[in-house]
Amino acid sequence: MGGNLGCHRSIPKDPTDFSNSKRKFSAACNFSHILVNQERLNINTATEEELMTLPGVNRMVAQNIVQYRDCIAGFKKVEDLALVSGIGAGKLEIIRLEICVSSRTSSSQHSPSSLRKDFEPHLSCTGMNINTATPAQLMSIRGITGKIANNIVEYRLENGPFKSIEDLVRVNHINSSLLDKIRFQVYVERSRTPSTNTNGGLTYTTKSHPSPTSFSLLSEDLDLPAGGPTRIMSVRPDVEPPSGMREGKAVVRVATWNLQNCSCEKANNPGIKEVVCMTLLENDIKLLAVQDLVDREALDKFCVELNQGSLDSVRKWRGPRGVWKSTVSEKPTGLFNKGVSYSGFLWDSSSGIHLKDASVLESPVVNGNWMHPHPRPYLAHFYVGSLEMTMVNVHMSAGAWQSNGRNHPSEEVKAHRLTSRIQDTLKAQKGLVVLGDFGLPPQSSELDQLRKERLSPLVPPNMFTNISTRSPKGSLCLDNIWVSKSLKKIYAGHCLVVREGLTNPWIPDNWSWGGVVSDHCPVMAEFYVDVAQKELRNRVSGVERGESMSKHER
């Protein structure tokens, strides 16, 4: 082995091919020229395949690492990896002990002491480098809005790199007070010309669809409009602010949307945030049932954006944005292979909608681990104008099922477990709406118990609710809104599956960009309501913010 460390790292056939998160090693592949400092992977020289041996790093994330590395001419410290799209602080902590940083010309013959000497000049740099950060990255700094982030980038492009942190006061809308607040979150380091990417002996220039959070705006390699990826404008539907009226009567639009594994990291993606918030505003959705929240705090990210408007598209919306509130189930409402998921509601309180109470419908049946083996509905009572509505938020397609030793019971078993409980619990409920991801078309016999309770589906079987960039028209009817006989009387006759404006250049789409928020479309229905004159005026003229929240609201 000579001076090599004698470490051998195998390349998994699949990025997810790990056994209990333990690394695999094989004498067949000698990557000792990559490994330094006790089997750690040098992220400045590792190829995509080698990066994919790290826990949780798939092909797309590995590509992001390589592309970002080339744009900044190499990582200065391990912490810089957190700025790469798909990594973040959480994933960095998982892989921190398996990676290291050294220059591209260093070799495994370097001793740990010499490596530490190389790293020491960079240890004093904490926070974000304002000379290389994109607007999306700058917006993660507390106190920096989307407008200020764009101003920083524009100033940098016109005047060159910042020479000191104090130069930030020359940027529009940054004063000495704001500078003092962000001073310890940023640093200044002169950027270097990005190099071409050398990967396994193949040299090329990056021309792929970039991540808006993974590239230096000063890169000359990118075939992008001036200003970087954030200048690739997302195309929103050209709509006028809805009036909230139909045939001279006030209406409210209620919707359901499975946001598909929505974590805080996903909710913080500016593309995801823009699509969700603008879809609500453009379609005048006032009450939204949300499924598949991986983090309970994720839903509040959209609520804050709607109320504060840090994104240009949200801030410049021509109509009133409203006063949004949210509530999320305190207990999980579904299980999947990697953990649990939650359900929630998001609503505009300025439209006469107020939450009375909310709770998870419990089940007496638990598995051997005292965990509920199937999804549980999230029930909430809302006052919508003078009407009280009982909203039952369901997520029937949540996985991790267990039944009589079988991991995946039939759809009939799943539906029976859910609908029988709805049948027992909600017999006395009035103004009932059961909505969400049923995982089944409405004509399925497994949903007959809903029909026995005189509930009617508003989405017909031939109206598909799934979507992808490869199948924009969809092929399945999985999401629906079922209403009771009393609500059918005030149903305005308008039910819609929203398909426009669900993609964004900042959303990953496998190995590319411009993906959809979720495989599910939002489904909405319109109801006539009686609202007070004050709330009716709010629909036209805007509202005051800062209402108090009940204990159920976030």
Side-chain angles (χ1 to χ4, degrees), residues 444-458:
S444 299
S445 60
E446 292 85 351
L447 299 177
D448 283 346
Q449 291 190 46
L450 291 178
R451 279 179 278 269
K452 290 179 181 178
E453 292 301 311
R454 297 186 178 182
L455 294 171
S456 303
L458 300 183

mmCIF file of all heavy atoms in Angstrom, residues 444-458:
data_model
loop_
_atom_site.group_PDB
_atom_site.id
_atom_site.type_symbol
_atom_site.label_atom_id
_atom_site.label_comp_id
_atom_site.label_asym_id
_atom_site.label_seq_id
_atom_site.Cartn_x
_atom_site.Cartn_y
_atom_site.Cartn_z
ATOM 1 N N SER A 444 -65.073 3.177 -6.210
ATOM 2 C CA SER A 444 -64.620 1.933 -5.588
ATOM 3 C C SER A 444 -65.616 1.453 -4.539
ATOM 4 O O SER A 444 -66.141 2.242 -3.740
ATOM 5 C CB SER A 444 -63.252 2.143 -4.932
ATOM 6 O OG SER A 444 -62.292 2.518 -5.891
ATOM 7 N N SER A 445 -65.858 0.158 -4.545
ATOM 8 C CA SER A 445 -66.803 -0.415 -3.581
ATOM 9 C C SER A 445 -66.297 -0.260 -2.154
ATOM 10 O O SER A 445 -67.088 -0.262 -1.209
ATOM 11 C CB SER A 445 -67.035 -1.891 -3.904
ATOM 12 O OG SER A 445 -65.805 -2.627 -3.839
ATOM 13 N N GLU A 446 -64.984 -0.116 -1.994
ATOM 14 C CA GLU A 446 -64.413 0.043 -0.663
ATOM 15 C C GLU A 446 -64.875 1.340 0.014
ATOM 16 O O GLU A 446 -64.744 1.498 1.225
ATOM 17 C CB GLU A 446 -62.879 0.031 -0.727
ATOM 18 C CG GLU A 446 -62.281 -1.306 -1.115
ATOM 19 C CD GLU A 446 -62.215 -1.478 -2.627
ATOM 20 O OE1 GLU A 446 -62.785 -0.633 -3.348
ATOM 21 O OE2 GLU A 446 -61.596 -2.456 -3.081
ATOM 22 N N LEU A 447 -65.399 2.285 -0.785
ATOM 23 C CA LEU A 447 -65.852 3.556 -0.230
ATOM 24 C C LEU A 447 -67.367 3.612 -0.095
ATOM 25 O O LEU A 447 -67.940 4.689 0.109
ATOM 26 C CB LEU A 447 -65.366 4.709 -1.113
ATOM 27 C CG LEU A 447 -63.844 4.843 -1.240
ATOM 28 C CD1 LEU A 447 -63.486 5.967 -2.200
ATOM 29 C CD2 LEU A 447 -63.195 5.073 0.114
ATOM 30 N N ASP A 448 -68.009 2.463 -0.188
ATOM 31 C CA ASP A 448 -69.472 2.426 -0.095
ATOM 32 C C ASP A 448 -69.980 2.931 1.245
ATOM 33 O O ASP A 448 -71.100 3.451 1.336
ATOM 34 C CB ASP A 448 -69.987 1.001 -0.338
ATOM 35 C CG ASP A 448 -69.980 0.610 -1.809
ATOM 36 O OD1 ASP A 448 -69.833 1.524 -2.656
ATOM 37 O OD2 ASP A 448 -70.084 -0.595 -2.114
ATOM 38 N N GLN A 449 -69.180 2.777 2.292
ATOM 39 C CA GLN A 449 -69.643 3.221 3.604
ATOM 40 C C GLN A 449 -69.804 4.726 3.656
ATOM 41 O O GLN A 449 -70.614 5.234 4.416
ATOM 42 C CB GLN A 449 -68.671 2.741 4.689
ATOM 43 C CG GLN A 449 -68.700 1.230 4.875
ATOM 44 C CD GLN A 449 -67.927 0.799 6.103
ATOM 45 O OE1 GLN A 449 -68.075 1.371 7.158
ATOM 46 N NE2 GLN A 449 -67.092 -0.216 5.937
ATOM 47 N N LEU A 450 -69.033 5.433 2.844
ATOM 48 C CA LEU A 450 -69.238 6.882 2.763
ATOM 49 C C LEU A 450 -70.581 7.182 2.099
ATOM 50 O O LEU A 450 -71.294 8.105 2.503
ATOM 51 C CB LEU A 450 -68.100 7.528 1.978
ATOM 52 C CG LEU A 450 -66.724 7.527 2.642
ATOM 53 C CD1 LEU A 450 -65.690 8.148 1.720
ATOM 54 C CD2 LEU A 450 -66.751 8.266 3.969
ATOM 55 N N ARG A 451 -70.918 6.411 1.089
ATOM 56 C CA ARG A 451 -72.197 6.601 0.429
ATOM 57 C C ARG A 451 -73.366 6.242 1.346
ATOM 58 O O ARG A 451 -74.433 6.852 1.278
ATOM 59 C CB ARG A 451 -72.250 5.768 -0.855
ATOM 60 C CG ARG A 451 -71.545 6.441 -2.041
ATOM 61 C CD ARG A 451 -71.597 5.578 -3.290
ATOM 62 N NE ARG A 451 -70.543 4.568 -3.271
ATOM 63 C CZ ARG A 451 -69.328 4.779 -3.793
ATOM 64 N NH1 ARG A 451 -69.032 5.941 -4.347
ATOM 65 N NH2 ARG A 451 -68.419 3.830 -3.751
ATOM 66 N N LYS A 452 -73.155 5.239 2.220
ATOM 67 C CA LYS A 452 -74.199 4.876 3.171
ATOM 68 C C LYS A 452 -74.504 6.011 4.139
ATOM 69 O O LYS A 452 -75.614 6.115 4.653
ATOM 70 C CB LYS A 452 -73.773 3.626 3.952
ATOM 71 C CG LYS A 452 -73.763 2.356 3.107
ATOM 72 C CD LYS A 452 -73.317 1.159 3.937
ATOM 73 C CE LYS A 452 -73.272 -0.105 3.084
ATOM 74 N NZ LYS A 452 -72.792 -1.283 3.879
ATOM 75 N N GLU A 453 -73.502 6.845 4.382
ATOM 76 C CA GLU A 453 -73.699 8.012 5.253
ATOM 77 C C GLU A 453 -74.211 9.210 4.452
ATOM 78 O O GLU A 453 -74.199 10.335 4.947
ATOM 79 C CB GLU A 453 -72.387 8.372 5.949
ATOM 80 C CG GLU A 453 -71.924 7.359 6.971
ATOM 81 C CD GLU A 453 -72.952 7.152 8.068
ATOM 82 O OE1 GLU A 453 -73.440 8.155 8.631
ATOM 83 O OE2 GLU A 453 -73.284 5.980 8.343
ATOM 84 N N ARG A 454 -74.647 8.933 3.218
ATOM 85 C CA ARG A 454 -75.212 9.951 2.332
ATOM 86 C C ARG A 454 -74.197 11.037 1.987
ATOM 87 O O ARG A 454 -74.545 12.208 1.845
ATOM 88 C CB ARG A 454 -76.469 10.573 2.949
ATOM 89 C CG ARG A 454 -77.597 9.562 3.148
ATOM 90 C CD ARG A 454 -78.869 10.241 3.621
ATOM 91 N NE ARG A 454 -79.953 9.272 3.761
ATOM 92 C CZ ARG A 454 -81.193 9.593 4.127
ATOM 93 N NH1 ARG A 454 -81.488 10.857 4.407
ATOM 94 N NH2 ARG A 454 -82.117 8.658 4.219
ATOM 95 N N LEU A 455 -72.960 10.620 1.861
ATOM 96 C CA LEU A 455 -71.917 11.527 1.384
ATOM 97 C C LEU A 455 -71.752 11.333 -0.119
ATOM 98 O O LEU A 455 -71.834 10.209 -0.622
ATOM 99 C CB LEU A 455 -70.595 11.246 2.097
ATOM 100 C CG LEU A 455 -70.555 11.524 3.602
ATOM 101 C CD1 LEU A 455 -69.264 10.988 4.201
ATOM 102 C CD2 LEU A 455 -70.683 13.008 3.883
ATOM 103 N N SER A 456 -71.507 12.428 -0.822
ATOM 104 C CA SER A 456 -71.367 12.381 -2.278
ATOM 105 C C SER A 456 -70.000 12.905 -2.685
ATOM 106 O O SER A 456 -69.568 13.953 -2.193
ATOM 107 C CB SER A 456 -72.449 13.234 -2.945
ATOM 108 O OG SER A 456 -73.737 12.819 -2.563
ATOM 109 N N PRO A 457 -69.306 12.203 -3.598
ATOM 110 C CA PRO A 457 -68.020 12.708 -4.088
ATOM 111 C C PRO A 457 -68.239 13.811 -5.125
ATOM 112 O O PRO A 457 -69.106 13.691 -5.998
ATOM 113 C CB PRO A 457 -67.374 11.469 -4.718
ATOM 114 C CG PRO A 457 -68.535 10.645 -5.188
ATOM 115 C CD PRO A 457 -69.650 10.893 -4.202
ATOM 116 N N LEU A 458 -67.438 14.876 -5.051
ATOM 117 C CA LEU A 458 -67.570 15.975 -5.998
ATOM 118 C C LEU A 458 -66.678 15.789 -7.218
ATOM 119 O O LEU A 458 -66.927 16.375 -8.263
ATOM 120 C CB LEU A 458 -67.238 17.306 -5.308
ATOM 121 C CG LEU A 458 -68.124 17.669 -4.113
ATOM 122 C CD1 LEU A 458 -67.737 19.046 -3.576
ATOM 123 C CD2 LEU A 458 -69.602 17.619 -4.487
#
